[in-house]
Amino acid sequence: MIYLDNAATTMHKPQCVIDAVVSAMSSMGNAGRGANEASLSASRIIYDTREKLCRLFGGTDPKQIAFTNNSTESLNIAVKGLLNPGDHVITTVLEHNSVLRPLYEMESKGVKLTIIKSDQRGRLDISRIGEAVCDETKMIICTNGSNLTGNYVDIEAVGKIARTHGVLFAVDASQTAGVFPIDVEKMNIDVLCFTGHKGLLGPQGTGGLYVRKGIAVRPLKCGGTGVQTYNKSQPAKMPTALEAGTLNGHGIAGLHAALEYLEETGIDRIRAREQELMWKFYEGVKDIPKVTVYGDFSERERCPIVLLNIGEYDSGEVSDALLTDYGISTRPGGHCAPLMHEALGTKEQGAVRFSFCHYNTDEEVETAIRAINELAQEEE
């Protein structure tokens, strides 16, 4: 199978990640739940992973990294843990449902919501975010890169707007963590939400959030922590405040190995290769009759994603044909990005997403180009 669905999850993991998970499953105890070597070794690798993530994201204190199961959990914690009835929050049409649905839930509880629109190529006019700020604005929350079009969002520019107006800035880095440089200090990010199973090349079931010091987030859940057993409330100190229950130590061990791989390989090198493959595919399909490519390709820096349709061909049928006839795995449909599909005019048809990893090859891209060309000819 030619796997081109990396925006959903990177399937091909470095061998060191696989080895780390297997080793952890036969040796790791429960971090913070004992003084035996199995427990202590788990605590050490989990803390070391915090340090690596803090360094990757330009943070100031590893203890401000809290682990979660994925970006969805991280974003729910950020939205529900910081907003209150009467607050105003600003977001964009580019967002994934992991941002939108928590915001809609909070809107039903009295939070005021403003959604900044894009043009038909999915581009934002960032100045409109600043224009939407009012006295009640508590937070700006947006993606760093669209999971649908691959358009990159200049979060440093958005962070400046947030800092100028004195409002919180939360970022969904699902598509960019491990691929694009992120510096929470330089970009004025107050809460960074990320997942481990995409660009970070870690196992599924891993993720987290970085919370700037001095910002108190209400826990999404409470329970066992291994400390302050007789406290009736969840401990307030990070990262324990947001980490009730046993962590996914086995997965975090894999994430630790993935971060070492990224450090050794270099995210700039990985991004350059993924963008090279993406641009090769884009150039190969953009002029094929009947093929419509969506998104903004005027900027070289973008997530390694190409979204397209073939004539009136249903996106699910195109994806099925790619898999059945060519062994190519893609993602059709709505991609959990309903507002972006409405902006692109693809709500009914959906679209076929090709997303690339540095493990993909030029030969695989050439096969995908040939497949689209042949399917487009059949549509004629």
Side-chain angles (χ1 to χ4, degrees), residues 2-14:
I2 298 174
Y3 187 79
L4 298 178
D5 192 20
N6 293 283
T9 192
T10 47
M11 185 180 72
H12 300 292
K13 308 294 184 182

Side-chain angles (χ1 to χ4, degrees), residues 61-210:
D61 184 351
K63 293 179 181 178
Q64 296 303 116
I65 296 277
F67 288 109
T68 64
N69 291 321
N70 43 51
S71 284
T72 298
E73 185 177 0
S74 300
L75 289 160
N76 270 266
I77 291 171
V79 170
K80 298 176 183 179
L82 288 169
L83 294 175
N84 299 297
D87 288 340
H88 175 235
V89 59
I90 302 169
T91 192
T92 79
V93 299
L94 276 66
E95 308 312 315
H96 189 278
N97 271 338
S98 56
V99 172
L100 295 174
R101 284 176 172 163
L103 287 176
Y104 291 146
E105 180 180 335
M106 295 306 291
E107 185 180 31
S108 72
K109 297 178 180 179
V111 170
K112 300 172 185 177
L113 174 62
T114 295
I115 301 175
I116 304 300
K117 295 181 179 180
S118 73
D119 64 16
Q120 290 186 330
R121 293 168 67 183
R123 295 177 299 186
L124 288 173
D125 180 353
I126 290 175
S127 66
R128 295 183 62 192
I129 295 176
E131 293 168 0
V133 176
C134 63
D135 291 342
E136 292 78 26
T137 304
K138 176 75 172 291
M139 177 195 293
I140 298 169
I141 181 168
C142 71
T143 185
N144 189 190
S146 169
N147 76 305
L148 188 60
T149 64
N151 290 359
Y152 180 82
V153 177
D154 184 357
I155 54 171
E156 185 171 354
V158 181
K160 287 180 180 177
I161 293 172
R163 186 55 51 91
T164 297
H165 290 278
V167 301
L168 296 174
F169 183 36
V171 172
D172 175 7
S174 299
Q175 296 298 329
T176 55
V179 181
F180 284 85
I182 297 173
D183 187 321
V184 294
E185 291 296 309
K186 181 181 178 182
M187 296 173 171
N188 293 312
I189 298 170
D190 295 299
V191 182
L192 180 75
C193 301
F194 59 90
T195 194
H197 69 98
K198 297 187 183 186
L200 288 175
L201 301 175
Q204 295 178 3
T206 61
L209 68 166
Y210 175 86

